[in-house]
Amino acid sequence: MEKENDLIEQKYRELYEKSLELQKHYVDTISALIRAIDARDHYTKDHSLKVSYIAEAIAKELGLPVEKIEIIQQACKLHDLGKIGIKDVILLKSGKLNDEEWEEIKRHPVLGAEIIKPLAFLSDAAVLIRQDHERWDGGGYPEGLKGEEIDIGARVIMVADAYDAMVSGRSYREPLSKDEAVEKIKSNSGTQFDPKVVEAFLKIVDKI
């Protein structure tokens, strides 16, 4: 009986290790897709990693549990995955988007969430990816969620994502200064962003 138990335990460990290895392969593959997306537009190179770094600092300031912070980091690295389904002519357009093009761009959070939905170990991250463009006041997309209907992880990513986008150059505008970006984040507290998350961001922004 003891030998059988040892054998079962050994097989369990082997299956667990293979599961972790398979998960790593999936994540590596998706990360490669993210790098491909970043490479399509040199203005957004390393954006996902920068957002992850900022979001982690905000989450720690908020005192979120380690497990939640890990999910936030996963979601940050994958939050633009859905842009792989957006045409370059729209994604890289230097001028203002028309209504039809804007509706196409707004599809990317849902596309990203759907791509990783079959991967059970990323299901929590998929929720945050889908909610990345919701707003505290309910004026976001794709579902128009409001306030605490939005997962706290997504509310953290919103601020981190917006800040990095503002201080990074884009094909259609020059980057804002750090002070200008901080003022815009502050001015949108209570409308676009959760005031509690903005408060945490303001405490860590000089450290990033």
Side-chain angles (χ1 to χ4, degrees), residues 15 97 206:
L15 285 171
L97 299 177
D206 288 332

Side-chain angles (χ1 to χ4, degrees), residues 89-90 93-99 101-102 172:
V89 68
I90 297 175
K93 186 174 180 178
S94 58
K96 185 178 179 180
L97 299 177
N98 61 37
D99 290 344
E101 291 167 337
W102 178 237
Y172 50 86

Side-chain angles (χ1 to χ4, degrees), residues 102-115:
W102 178 237
E103 288 302 315
E104 182 71 11
I105 284 287
K106 285 166 65 176
R107 293 175 55 235
H108 85 267
V110 175
L111 287 174
E114 289 298 315
I115 289 171

Side-chain angles (χ1 to χ4, degrees), residues 194-208:
D194 177 352
K196 178 175 64 176
V197 175
V198 172
E199 183 179 349
F201 166 76
L202 295 175
K203 290 179 180 177
I204 60 91
V205 67
D206 288 332
K207 304 173 187 176
I208 59 177

Side-chain angles (χ1 to χ4, degrees), residues 41-169:
D41 182 1
H42 71 275
Y43 290 99
T44 64
K45 188 174 183 343
D46 297 328
H47 169 66
S48 299
L49 292 177
K50 292 175 185 175
V51 172
S52 179
Y53 174 74
I54 298 167
E56 179 186 4
I58 296 172
K60 286 181 176 177
E61 181 64 33
L62 286 168
L64 298 184
V66 172
E67 295 80 6
K68 188 67 175 182
I69 294 174
E70 289 176 355
I71 294 168
I72 289 171
Q73 289 178 300
Q74 288 177 337
C76 284
K77 292 171 184 176
L78 301 172
H79 77 283
D80 277 338
L81 180 59
K83 288 183 178 178
I84 201 165
I86 306 298
K87 297 175 184 177
D88 280 353
V89 68
I90 297 175
L91 191 63
L92 307 181
K93 186 174 180 178
S94 58
K96 185 178 179 180
L97 299 177
N98 61 37
D99 290 344
E100 183 178 348
E101 291 167 337
W102 178 237
E103 288 302 315
E104 182 71 11
I105 284 287
K106 285 166 65 176
R107 293 175 55 235
H108 85 267
V110 175
L111 287 174
E114 289 298 315
I115 289 171
I116 67 169
K117 185 178 179 180
L119 307 178
F121 68 97
L122 289 174
S123 59
D124 291 332
V127 172
L128 307 192
I129 291 167
R130 187 181 181 91
Q131 295 182 2
D132 180 37
H133 289 278
E134 301 289 356
R135 287 174 53 112
W136 182 253
D137 62 7
Y141 60 89
E143 296 174 10
L145 300 179
K146 183 177 182 180
E148 294 190 0
E149 293 175 348
I150 308 166
D151 189 286
I152 182 62
R155 285 179 265 151
V156 167
I157 296 172
M158 286 178 215
V159 173
D161 190 12
Y163 175 76
D164 186 67
M166 285 189 280
V167 297
S168 302

